[in-house]
PDB file of all heavy atoms in Angstrom:
ATOM      1  N   LEU A 173      49.832 -33.232 255.753  1.00  0.00           N
ATOM      2  CA  LEU A 173      48.742 -33.890 256.467  1.00  0.00           C
ATOM      3  C   LEU A 173      47.874 -32.859 257.192  1.00  0.00           C
ATOM      4  O   LEU A 173      46.644 -33.018 257.281  1.00  0.00           O
ATOM      5  CB  LEU A 173      49.299 -34.900 257.457  1.00  0.00           C
ATOM      6  CG  LEU A 173      49.997 -36.132 256.851  1.00  0.00           C
ATOM      7  CD1 LEU A 173      50.541 -37.033 257.952  1.00  0.00           C
ATOM      8  CD2 LEU A 173      49.053 -36.915 255.940  1.00  0.00           C
ATOM      9  N   CYS A 174      48.507 -31.824 257.688  1.00  0.00           N
ATOM     10  CA  CYS A 174      47.758 -30.768 258.379  1.00  0.00           C
ATOM     11  C   CYS A 174      46.793 -30.070 257.422  1.00  0.00           C
ATOM     12  O   CYS A 174      45.628 -29.822 257.757  1.00  0.00           O
ATOM     13  CB  CYS A 174      48.726 -29.767 258.996  1.00  0.00           C
ATOM     14  SG  CYS A 174      47.921 -28.406 259.877  1.00  0.00           S
ATOM     15  N   LYS A 175      47.258 -29.744 256.217  1.00  0.00           N
ATOM     16  CA  LYS A 175      46.402 -29.076 255.243  1.00  0.00           C
ATOM     17  C   LYS A 175      45.227 -29.951 254.840  1.00  0.00           C
ATOM     18  O   LYS A 175      44.129 -29.463 254.586  1.00  0.00           O
ATOM     19  CB  LYS A 175      47.218 -28.687 254.004  1.00  0.00           C
ATOM     20  CG  LYS A 175      48.155 -27.507 254.206  1.00  0.00           C
ATOM     21  CD  LYS A 175      48.828 -27.116 252.913  1.00  0.00           C
ATOM     22  CE  LYS A 175      49.704 -25.875 253.095  1.00  0.00           C
ATOM     23  NZ  LYS A 175      48.877 -24.668 253.369  1.00  0.00           N
ATOM     24  N   ILE A 176      45.453 -31.266 254.768  1.00  0.00           N
ATOM     25  CA  ILE A 176      44.379 -32.173 254.374  1.00  0.00           C
ATOM     26  C   ILE A 176      43.416 -32.423 255.530  1.00  0.00           C
ATOM     27  O   ILE A 176      42.190 -32.310 255.383  1.00  0.00           O
ATOM     28  CB  ILE A 176      44.963 -33.511 253.870  1.00  0.00           C
ATOM     29  CG1 ILE A 176      45.772 -33.300 252.586  1.00  0.00           C
ATOM     30  CG2 ILE A 176      43.843 -34.520 253.622  1.00  0.00           C
ATOM     31  CD1 ILE A 176      46.467 -34.547 252.087  1.00  0.00           C
ATOM     32  N   ASN A 177      43.951 -32.737 256.688  1.00  0.00           N
ATOM     33  CA  ASN A 177      43.110 -33.186 257.792  1.00  0.00           C
ATOM     34  C   ASN A 177      42.487 -32.049 258.588  1.00  0.00           C
ATOM     35  O   ASN A 177      41.380 -32.199 259.129  1.00  0.00           O
ATOM     36  CB  ASN A 177      43.922 -34.081 258.733  1.00  0.00           C
ATOM     37  CG  ASN A 177      44.421 -35.332 258.040  1.00  0.00           C
ATOM     38  OD1 ASN A 177      43.833 -35.783 257.066  1.00  0.00           O
ATOM     39  ND2 ASN A 177      45.512 -35.888 258.534  1.00  0.00           N
ATOM     40  N   ASP A 178      43.193 -30.933 258.706  1.00  0.00           N
ATOM     41  CA  ASP A 178      42.709 -29.842 259.557  1.00  0.00           C
ATOM     42  C   ASP A 178      42.021 -28.732 258.786  1.00  0.00           C
ATOM     43  O   ASP A 178      41.226 -27.975 259.364  1.00  0.00           O
ATOM     44  CB  ASP A 178      43.864 -29.239 260.361  1.00  0.00           C
ATOM     45  CG  ASP A 178      44.503 -30.251 261.301  1.00  0.00           C
ATOM     46  OD1 ASP A 178      43.836 -31.264 261.610  1.00  0.00           O
ATOM     47  OD2 ASP A 178      45.657 -30.040 261.703  1.00  0.00           O
ATOM     48  N   GLU A 179      42.318 -28.608 257.494  1.00  0.00           N
ATOM     49  CA  GLU A 179      41.782 -27.484 256.739  1.00  0.00           C
ATOM     50  C   GLU A 179      40.690 -27.885 255.759  1.00  0.00           C
ATOM     51  O   GLU A 179      40.199 -27.055 254.990  1.00  0.00           O
ATOM     52  CB  GLU A 179      42.917 -26.767 255.998  1.00  0.00           C
ATOM     53  CG  GLU A 179      43.981 -26.195 256.929  1.00  0.00           C
ATOM     54  CD  GLU A 179      45.095 -25.501 256.196  1.00  0.00           C
ATOM     55  OE1 GLU A 179      44.897 -25.195 254.992  1.00  0.00           O
ATOM     56  OE2 GLU A 179      46.162 -25.245 256.794  1.00  0.00           O
ATOM     57  N   THR A 180      40.316 -29.142 255.732  1.00  0.00           N
ATOM     58  CA  THR A 180      39.214 -29.589 254.873  1.00  0.00           C
ATOM     59  C   THR A 180      38.259 -30.429 255.697  1.00  0.00           C
ATOM     60  O   THR A 180      38.608 -30.963 256.756  1.00  0.00           O
ATOM     61  CB  THR A 180      39.714 -30.430 253.674  1.00  0.00           C
ATOM     62  OG1 THR A 180      40.210 -31.675 254.177  1.00  0.00           O
ATOM     63  CG2 THR A 180      40.820 -29.714 252.919  1.00  0.00           C
ATOM     64  N   ASP A 181      37.053 -30.574 255.171  1.00  0.00           N
ATOM     65  CA  ASP A 181      36.058 -31.408 255.843  1.00  0.00           C
ATOM     66  C   ASP A 181      35.543 -32.520 254.934  1.00  0.00           C
ATOM     67  O   ASP A 181      34.508 -33.119 255.194  1.00  0.00           O
ATOM     68  CB  ASP A 181      34.886 -30.553 256.329  1.00  0.00           C
ATOM     69  CG  ASP A 181      34.193 -29.808 255.194  1.00  0.00           C
ATOM     70  OD1 ASP A 181      34.657 -29.949 254.030  1.00  0.00           O
ATOM     71  OD2 ASP A 181      33.223 -29.089 255.455  1.00  0.00           O
ATOM     72  N   PHE A 182      36.288 -32.776 253.830  1.00  0.00           N
ATOM     73  CA  PHE A 182      35.808 -33.796 252.900  1.00  0.00           C
ATOM     74  C   PHE A 182      36.837 -34.910 252.621  1.00  0.00           C
ATOM     75  O   PHE A 182      36.573 -35.828 251.860  1.00  0.00           O
ATOM     76  CB  PHE A 182      35.375 -33.172 251.564  1.00  0.00           C
ATOM     77  CG  PHE A 182      36.425 -32.283 250.940  1.00  0.00           C
ATOM     78  CD1 PHE A 182      37.454 -32.819 250.167  1.00  0.00           C
ATOM     79  CD2 PHE A 182      36.377 -30.914 251.120  1.00  0.00           C
ATOM     80  CE1 PHE A 182      38.403 -32.002 249.587  1.00  0.00           C
ATOM     81  CE2 PHE A 182      37.335 -30.091 250.536  1.00  0.00           C
ATOM     82  CZ  PHE A 182      38.357 -30.633 249.772  1.00  0.00           C
ATOM     83  N   CYS A 183      38.034 -34.850 253.243  1.00  0.00           N
ATOM     84  CA  CYS A 183      39.007 -35.934 253.074  1.00  0.00           C
ATOM     85  C   CYS A 183      39.918 -36.031 254.291  1.00  0.00           C
ATOM     86  O   CYS A 183      40.047 -35.073 255.074  1.00  0.00           O
ATOM     87  CB  CYS A 183      39.829 -35.758 251.798  1.00  0.00           C
ATOM     88  SG  CYS A 183      40.785 -34.224 251.709  1.00  0.00           S
ATOM     89  N   TYR A 184      40.532 -37.198 254.411  1.00  0.00           N
ATOM     90  CA  TYR A 184      41.428 -37.455 255.547  1.00  0.00           C
ATOM     91  C   TYR A 184      42.587 -38.316 255.050  1.00  0.00           C
ATOM     92  O   TYR A 184      42.385 -39.283 254.298  1.00  0.00           O
ATOM     93  CB  TYR A 184      40.681 -38.181 256.665  1.00  0.00           C
ATOM     94  CG  TYR A 184      41.579 -38.611 257.808  1.00  0.00           C
ATOM     95  CD1 TYR A 184      41.951 -37.705 258.781  1.00  0.00           C
ATOM     96  CD2 TYR A 184      42.063 -39.923 257.882  1.00  0.00           C
ATOM     97  CE1 TYR A 184      42.787 -38.080 259.835  1.00  0.00           C
ATOM     98  CE2 TYR A 184      42.901 -40.311 258.921  1.00  0.00           C
ATOM     99  CZ  TYR A 184      43.261 -39.391 259.896  1.00  0.00           C
ATOM    100  OH  TYR A 184      44.092 -39.758 260.918  1.00  0.00           O
ATOM    101  N   ALA A 185      43.826 -37.968 255.450  1.00  0.00           N
ATOM    102  CA  ALA A 185      45.024 -38.680 254.989  1.00  0.00           C
ATOM    103  C   ALA A 185      45.801 -39.240 256.165  1.00  0.00           C
ATOM    104  O   ALA A 185      45.845 -38.628 257.239  1.00  0.00           O
ATOM    105  CB  ALA A 185      45.906 -37.755 254.171  1.00  0.00           C
ATOM    106  N   GLU A 186      46.421 -40.405 255.917  1.00  0.00           N
ATOM    107  CA  GLU A 186      47.238 -41.037 256.958  1.00  0.00           C
ATOM    108  C   GLU A 186      48.419 -41.748 256.313  1.00  0.00           C
ATOM    109  O   GLU A 186      48.260 -42.409 255.274  1.00  0.00           O
ATOM    110  CB  GLU A 186      46.415 -42.036 257.757  1.00  0.00           C
ATOM    111  CG  GLU A 186      47.181 -42.692 258.905  1.00  0.00           C
ATOM    112  CD  GLU A 186      46.304 -43.607 259.742  1.00  0.00           C
ATOM    113  OE1 GLU A 186      45.073 -43.424 259.730  1.00  0.00           O
ATOM    114  OE2 GLU A 186      46.860 -44.507 260.402  1.00  0.00           O
ATOM    115  N   GLN A 187      49.600 -41.597 256.933  1.00  0.00           N
ATOM    116  CA  GLN A 187      50.790 -42.292 256.410  1.00  0.00           C
ATOM    117  C   GLN A 187      50.723 -43.767 256.786  1.00  0.00           C
ATOM    118  O   GLN A 187      50.466 -44.127 257.927  1.00  0.00           O
ATOM    119  CB  GLN A 187      52.066 -41.660 256.983  1.00  0.00           C
ATOM    120  CG  GLN A 187      53.338 -42.392 256.532  1.00  0.00           C
ATOM    121  CD  GLN A 187      54.604 -41.735 257.046  1.00  0.00           C
ATOM    122  OE1 GLN A 187      54.828 -40.556 256.814  1.00  0.00           O
ATOM    123  NE2 GLN A 187      55.432 -42.494 257.738  1.00  0.00           N
ATOM    124  N   LEU A 188      51.001 -44.617 255.783  1.00  0.00           N
ATOM    125  CA  LEU A 188      51.009 -46.068 256.006  1.00  0.00           C
ATOM    126  C   LEU A 188      52.416 -46.617 256.153  1.00  0.00           C
ATOM    127  O   LEU A 188      52.647 -47.540 256.935  1.00  0.00           O
ATOM    128  CB  LEU A 188      50.299 -46.775 254.849  1.00  0.00           C
ATOM    129  CG  LEU A 188      48.834 -46.399 254.624  1.00  0.00           C
ATOM    130  CD1 LEU A 188      48.297 -47.125 253.401  1.00  0.00           C
ATOM    131  CD2 LEU A 188      47.994 -46.716 255.850  1.00  0.00           C
ATOM    132  N   SER A 189      53.361 -46.067 255.372  1.00  0.00           N
ATOM    133  CA  SER A 189      54.750 -46.532 255.430  1.00  0.00           C
ATOM    134  C   SER A 189      55.642 -45.491 254.782  1.00  0.00           C
ATOM    135  O   SER A 189      55.165 -44.487 254.243  1.00  0.00           O
ATOM    136  CB  SER A 189      54.908 -47.893 254.729  1.00  0.00           C
ATOM    137  OG  SER A 189      54.584 -47.784 253.352  1.00  0.00           O
ATOM    138  N   ARG A 190      56.968 -45.778 254.791  1.00  0.00           N
ATOM    139  CA  ARG A 190      57.921 -44.843 254.207  1.00  0.00           C
ATOM    140  C   ARG A 190      59.178 -45.590 253.806  1.00  0.00           C
ATOM    141  O   ARG A 190      59.447 -46.696 254.275  1.00  0.00           O
ATOM    142  CB  ARG A 190      58.279 -43.741 255.218  1.00  0.00           C
ATOM    143  CG  ARG A 190      58.889 -44.264 256.493  1.00  0.00           C
ATOM    144  CD  ARG A 190      59.172 -43.154 257.497  1.00  0.00           C
ATOM    145  NE  ARG A 190      60.235 -42.276 257.015  1.00  0.00           N
ATOM    146  CZ  ARG A 190      60.592 -41.150 257.652  1.00  0.00           C
ATOM    147  NH1 ARG A 190      59.967 -40.767 258.753  1.00  0.00           N
ATOM    148  NH2 ARG A 190      61.585 -40.418 257.172  1.00  0.00           N
ATOM    149  N   ASP A 191      59.937 -44.975 252.920  1.00  0.00           N
ATOM    150  CA  ASP A 191      61.271 -45.457 252.605  1.00  0.00           C
ATOM    151  C   ASP A 191      62.154 -44.233 252.362  1.00  0.00           C
ATOM    152  O   ASP A 191      61.738 -43.106 252.665  1.00  0.00           O
ATOM    153  CB  ASP A 191      61.274 -46.424 251.401  1.00  0.00           C
ATOM    154  CG  ASP A 191      60.661 -45.805 250.151  1.00  0.00           C
ATOM    155  OD1 ASP A 191      60.793 -44.571 249.961  1.00  0.00           O
ATOM    156  OD2 ASP A 191      60.071 -46.549 249.349  1.00  0.00           O
ATOM    157  N   ASP A 192      63.338 -44.432 251.852  1.00  0.00           N
ATOM    158  CA  ASP A 192      64.271 -43.314 251.688  1.00  0.00           C
ATOM    159  C   ASP A 192      63.785 -42.278 250.686  1.00  0.00           C
ATOM    160  O   ASP A 192      64.154 -41.101 250.768  1.00  0.00           O
ATOM    161  CB  ASP A 192      65.650 -43.831 251.250  1.00  0.00           C
ATOM    162  CG  ASP A 192      66.333 -44.656 252.326  1.00  0.00           C
ATOM    163  OD1 ASP A 192      65.956 -44.501 253.501  1.00  0.00           O
ATOM    164  OD2 ASP A 192      67.229 -45.449 251.979  1.00  0.00           O
ATOM    165  N   MET A 193      62.957 -42.711 249.733  1.00  0.00           N
ATOM    166  CA  MET A 193      62.565 -41.818 248.656  1.00  0.00           C
ATOM    167  C   MET A 193      61.163 -41.239 248.830  1.00  0.00           C
ATOM    168  O   MET A 193      60.897 -40.112 248.408  1.00  0.00           O
ATOM    169  CB  MET A 193      62.620 -42.568 247.314  1.00  0.00           C
ATOM    170  CG  MET A 193      63.992 -43.117 246.969  1.00  0.00           C
ATOM    171  SD  MET A 193      65.209 -41.818 246.710  1.00  0.00           S
ATOM    172  CE  MET A 193      64.538 -41.040 245.243  1.00  0.00           C
ATOM    173  N   SER A 194      60.253 -42.004 249.449  1.00  0.00           N
ATOM    174  CA  SER A 194      58.847 -41.594 249.438  1.00  0.00           C
ATOM    175  C   SER A 194      58.155 -41.874 250.762  1.00  0.00           C
ATOM    176  O   SER A 194      58.624 -42.676 251.583  1.00  0.00           O
ATOM    177  CB  SER A 194      58.098 -42.327 248.312  1.00  0.00           C
ATOM    178  OG  SER A 194      58.675 -42.068 247.055  1.00  0.00           O
ATOM    179  N   ARG A 195      57.012 -41.215 250.918  1.00  0.00           N
ATOM    180  CA  ARG A 195      56.070 -41.499 251.990  1.00  0.00           C
ATOM    181  C   ARG A 195      54.796 -42.022 251.334  1.00  0.00           C
ATOM    182  O   ARG A 195      54.359 -41.466 250.327  1.00  0.00           O
ATOM    183  CB  ARG A 195      55.763 -40.240 252.811  1.00  0.00           C
ATOM    184  CG  ARG A 195      56.991 -39.496 253.308  1.00  0.00           C
ATOM    185  CD  ARG A 195      57.773 -40.308 254.342  1.00  0.00           C
ATOM    186  NE  ARG A 195      58.907 -39.549 254.868  1.00  0.00           N
ATOM    187  CZ  ARG A 195      60.139 -39.680 254.404  1.00  0.00           C
ATOM    188  NH1 ARG A 195      60.391 -40.513 253.403  1.00  0.00           N
ATOM    189  NH2 ARG A 195      61.132 -38.976 254.929  1.00  0.00           N
TER     190      ARG A 195
END
Side-chain angles (χ1 to χ4, degrees):
L173 293 178
C174 180
K175 286 185 176 292
I176 295 176
N177 298 335
D178 298 340
E179 299 180 16
T180 69
D181 59 359
F182 52 83
C183 60
Y184 174 81
E186 183 176 337
Q187 177 177 304
L188 300 177
S189 62
R190 59 183 292 174
D191 56 33
D192 293 339
M193 300 295 295
S194 302
R195 309 293 183 263

